[in-house]
Amino acid sequence: GHATPFGLDACLAGWEEGDEWLNEVRGLIVARRKQLALAVEQGMPGVRLAAAQGTYLAWLDFSALQLGEPAHDFLLREAKVATIPGQNFSQEKAACVRLNIGTSEAILSQIIERIVAALKTRRRGR
């Protein structure tokens, strides 16, 4: 529970010299959010992406798809994508998930491809 000299030095360096790094990270998050928004628009009919609130977590709403189970469970089983369950925030939000987009373009592309494929398989099976 106490600060270490190295921790204090790192904190000070971040505050005094971290602007360039922070701006770069913010730019990457904006790029990942745009990547996800385009994928939702083009390949995930019925899924809604909530407006950004300045975070690396995206809020996806699958309620229009009437999955018949929590979206988190569907995505984990069918797409092999782990998310933060919407019901962690409210029982009424089981059709929603929070997705961490604080990753590389390549990894987010894989996540998107898996979700799109799972949704297509579901549509064909109906």
Side-chain angles (χ1 to χ4, degrees):
H2 299 301
T4 67
F6 295 116
L8 292 173
D9 287 346
C11 182
L12 214 68
W15 282 107
E16 292 175 349
E17 301 170 30
D19 288 343
E20 184 178 331
W21 171 84
L22 182 59
N23 289 333
E24 183 178 328
V25 169
R26 285 179 177 154
L28 291 172
I29 296 300
V30 168
R32 295 298 78 76
R33 181 163 284 282
K34 286 179 181 177
Q35 179 184 359
L36 179 60
L38 184 62
V40 167
E41 180 184 317
Q42 293 180 349
M44 300 182 201
V47 177
R48 192 176 69 79
L49 175 63
Q53 295 185 0
T55 178
Y56 59 91
L57 296 171
W59 185 258
L60 292 169
D61 183 349
F62 291 80
S63 58
L65 301 181
Q66 299 178 335
L67 295 173
E69 65 181 314
H72 167 79
D73 296 348
F74 171 81
L75 293 173
L76 189 58
R77 186 185 66 252
E78 299 297 329
K80 306 295 188 258
V81 171
T83 60
I84 302 166
Q87 62 265 36
N88 284 6
F89 303 94
S90 165
Q91 283 304 317
E92 295 79 36
K93 299 295 183 183
C96 301
V97 297
R98 299 230 32 205
L99 178 67
N100 186 333
I101 59 171
T103 188
S104 69
E105 180 179 2
I107 290 173
L108 186 56
S109 290
Q110 288 178 358
I111 290 167
I112 289 167
E113 288 170 11
R114 289 177 180 189
I115 293 172
V116 168
L119 293 173
K120 282 183 181 177
T121 299
R122 181 181 179 276
R123 281 194 303 271
R124 282 194 304 263
R126 291 184 96 194

